[in-house]
Amino acid sequence: MKCIILAAGYATRLYPLTKNFPKPLLDVQGKSILDWLIADIESIPQINEVIIVSNHKFYQQFINWKNAASFHTDVKVIDDGSTANDNRLGAVRDIGFAIGMCGIDDDILVMAGDNLLDFSVKGFVEFYYEKKAACIMCHYEPSVEKLRRTGVVLLDEDNRVLEMQEKPETPQSNWAVPPFYIYPQNELKYILDGIACETCSTDAPGSFIAWYCQRAEVYAYLMPGKRYDIGNMESYKEIQIIYKK
């Protein structure tokens, strides 16, 4: 299994902190966000390579970070060529770019490079091997207001995804979906098909899952802990306090 970490965004909501610095390399209690993610990934024996998708603006900073680090797993940084927020490729196109650039012919775990978890993704990977189908994570979210700002899934009794909504005005369930996905090797073609399809949104992975689950089985892993989306200065300060504890 390969792990693709999406790190090509421009984090405009964190300006000026991230105007000239990539959000995934922000420090959280002595380690970058990426260092925290990769430390967990390295504990999962099924994953043999980590591919970080950067934009062109921050590519050299990611290379400098990689050259100064020491990993047990192969880590590769690739440049998607975008230079600003208005010409970014979008999350799904970055996944497709990584598949093509690295010649991936394997299962892939896709993670956002600006989210942290207080649990290991090892259980998520084991869930995938149990289901033998594409998988997403989900957690119970009681707030309708928060559900309107994220992906929401409707599940059957076996946790199979029946329907996915991206930022719905009227959520059909309380199951919210963070940006962590696993796609099987034999279904990578759907990612490339989705990119080529005019009716499939490629900016948000959640919108893509709505299209994907109409073509293949997708199962939802119920998160055993919390995830922290570092999207603005308030959430960045909050994660510093949480990780200090």
Side-chain angles (χ1 to χ4, degrees):
M1 179 180 287
K2 312 295 184 187
C3 177
I4 298 174
I5 299 180
L6 302 175
Y10 290 87
T12 56
R13 289 185 296 157
L14 272 167
Y15 277 16
L17 184 63
T18 53
K19 188 173 180 61
N20 294 298
F21 192 79
K23 180 165 60 166
L25 294 185
L26 289 177
D27 181 86
V28 176
Q29 294 303 325
K31 295 168 64 173
S32 73
I33 298 170
L34 273 183
D35 286 320
W36 285 106
L37 292 175
I38 293 177
D40 181 41
I41 292 167
E42 289 190 318
S43 71
I44 303 171
Q46 294 94 336
I47 298 175
N48 54 38
E49 185 178 28
V50 177
I51 299 163
I52 298 166
V53 185
S54 166
N55 57 51
H56 185 69
K57 179 179 180 179
F58 295 135
Y59 176 69
Q60 190 57 51
Q61 293 188 57
F62 282 109
I63 291 295
N64 294 342
W65 159 81
K66 177 193 168 185
N67 291 340
S70 178
F71 303 110
H72 302 300
T73 303
D74 289 338
V75 175
K76 179 184 297 183
V77 181
I78 59 176
D79 176 0
D80 77 355
S82 73
T83 56
N85 194 55
D86 58 2
N87 66 16
R88 68 190 188 279
L89 270 64
V92 181
R93 290 186 182 276
D94 272 332
I95 298 170
F97 173 74
I99 291 171
M101 175 65 71
C102 300
I104 297 176
D105 187 21
D106 200 351
D107 303 333
I108 56 172
L109 164 65
V110 179
M111 307 172 68
D114 59 357
N115 279 236
L116 287 173
L117 304 170
D118 68 0
F119 60 93
S120 173
V121 296
K122 184 177 181 180
F124 184 41
V125 172
E126 291 172 347
F127 178 80
Y128 163 74
Y129 283 112
E130 174 190 330
K131 294 298 183 182
K132 297 181 174 64
C135 294
I136 61 173
M137 284 190 187
C138 72
H139 63 90
Y140 186 83
E141 176 53 66
S143 168
V144 172
E145 188 59 36
K146 289 183 178 180
L147 290 168
R148 287 172 176 162
R149 300 196 301 266
T150 189
V152 178
V153 285
L154 188 64
L155 306 176
D156 70 9
E157 65 280 357
D158 194 33
N159 290 336
R160 184 172 65 88
V161 176
L162 299 176
E163 186 178 345
M164 172 85 180
Q165 303 170 291
E166 181 68 17
K167 299 179 180 178
E169 180 61 30
T170 306
Q172 294 189 34
S173 80
N174 293 93
W175 294 114
V177 180
F180 295 84
Y181 314 89
I182 299 180
Y183 299 101
Q185 177 273 335
N186 64 347
E187 293 179 6
L188 296 187
K189 61 182 180 180
Y190 291 134
I191 296 174
L192 305 180
D193 289 347
I195 291 171
C197 178
E198 293 183 359
T199 61
C200 177
S201 174
T202 56
D203 189 47
S207 297
F208 173 70
I209 287 290
W211 178 89
Y212 188 102
C213 70
Q214 295 174 9
R215 289 155 178 81
E217 284 192 333
V218 180
Y219 287 87
Y221 172 72
L222 306 187
M223 294 164 52
K226 295 181 180 180
R227 72 104 179 196
Y228 303 98
D229 178 11
I230 304 169
N232 53 34
M233 191 60 70
E234 181 181 357
S235 59
Y236 181 50
K237 291 178 179 177
E238 180 186 14
I239 194 65
Q240 298 285 9
I241 296 171
I242 291 168
Y243 268 56
K244 187 174 182 180
K245 295 178 181 179

